[in-house]
Amino acid sequence: MKIGLLFGSFNPIHIGHLIIANYMANHTALDKVWLVVSPQNPLKKYGDLINTYDRLEMAKLATDNATNITVSDVELKLPQPSYTIDTLTHLKEKYPEHDFALIMGSDNLATLHKWKNYKLILRDYRIFVYPRPGHENAEFASHSSVTITMTPQMELSATFIRKSIAEKKNVQYFVPDPVLKFIESKGLYR
């Protein structure tokens, strides 16, 4: 089975994430998409990242009815910081029957050269890339391991959602209803 891995902090998960996952699972050569909840991206500042298990729970709530999208907590069980190559190596050892691929935005493809062992990733794994405004001609876009997709673009970010919640603005339709109920019940991002 071909599994696409979409890594993220999902702080919170929103419909933009779900559109990307759904597109990749249904309009590419991938069979399934695993949303990999990352404890902390080594290339990002900690900022206002909420509890990892709350982010994991929101991702599960968002994908509860999905047939080919699953949530993975694999990075929560690995040493920190979590590097993509280490997660890929672990998954390949644990699930040798699967073919793993990466899913990333063209903005991440543009900074791939900063990743730990990025040459190994390019050599050993397929990368499915969704477009991000301003990053149309990323350095590795023409690499044989890279597939540029026509995933619908959406200008929606978790930062915008967190800021909106903090300002007591309505974020209905930006996040799935069960996620919004979870956020409200726990008073997150206030």
Side-chain angles (χ1 to χ4, degrees):
M1 188 173 289
K2 293 177 185 158
I3 310 284
L5 303 171
L6 179 57
F7 291 81
S9 57
F10 303 111
N11 187 35
I13 192 166
H14 56 72
I15 60 165
H17 297 127
L18 298 171
I19 288 169
I20 292 165
N22 186 58
Y23 181 90
M24 294 295 177
N26 292 290
H27 299 274
T28 69
L30 298 170
D31 299 308
K32 282 186 174 253
V33 169
W34 289 3
L35 302 177
V36 181
V37 178
S38 299
Q40 174 61 37
N41 181 332
L43 297 178
K44 288 185 180 178
K45 291 182 181 174
Y46 191 76
D48 51 3
L49 199 61
I50 65 161
N51 178 297
T52 304
Y53 293 97
D54 284 341
R55 294 184 287 117
L56 182 67
E57 182 61 23
M58 286 188 286
K60 288 178 179 177
L61 288 168
T63 58
D64 192 35
N65 296 322
T67 55
N68 49 7
I69 302 170
T70 308
V71 176
S72 171
D73 65 354
V74 65
E75 286 203 332
L76 309 186
K77 300 168 184 167
L78 296 175
Q80 302 303 311
S82 50
Y83 293 99
T84 302
I85 189 64
D86 298 334
T87 305
L88 288 167
T89 301
H90 173 80
L91 287 171
K92 194 63 188 160
E93 288 171 2
K94 189 170 180 180
Y95 304 102
E97 71 277 13
H98 293 321
D99 249 346
F100 291 100
L102 288 177
I103 298 170
M104 68 175 65
S106 54
D107 54 335
N108 283 327
L109 188 64
T111 62
L112 186 63
H113 64 281
K114 295 180 182 179
W115 292 27
K116 178 182 175 185
N117 296 341
Y118 77 93
K119 289 180 182 176
L120 278 178
I121 293 172
L122 282 167
R123 186 191 76 190
D124 296 343
Y125 298 92
R126 300 266 325 268
I127 302 174
F128 291 82
V129 178
Y130 56 90
R132 298 281 294 193
H135 298 278
E136 290 78 16
N137 298 310
E139 178 182 352
F140 299 107
S142 60
H143 192 280
S144 61
S145 295
V146 174
T147 300
I148 306 296
T149 68
M150 300 298 291
T151 308
Q153 295 184 51
M154 178 174 293
E155 284 298 310
L156 181 62
S157 71
T159 303
F160 167 79
I161 293 168
R162 290 191 307 271
K163 185 174 185 280
S164 297
I165 293 170
E167 294 171 355
K168 297 182 172 50
K169 293 183 179 168
N170 187 332
V171 295
Q172 185 180 22
Y173 308 119
F174 296 143
V175 297
D177 286 341
V179 173
L180 183 57
K181 286 178 183 153
F182 183 84
I183 290 170
E184 289 172 347
S185 74
K186 295 201 86 172
L188 301 176
Y189 308 115
R190 297 252 174 235

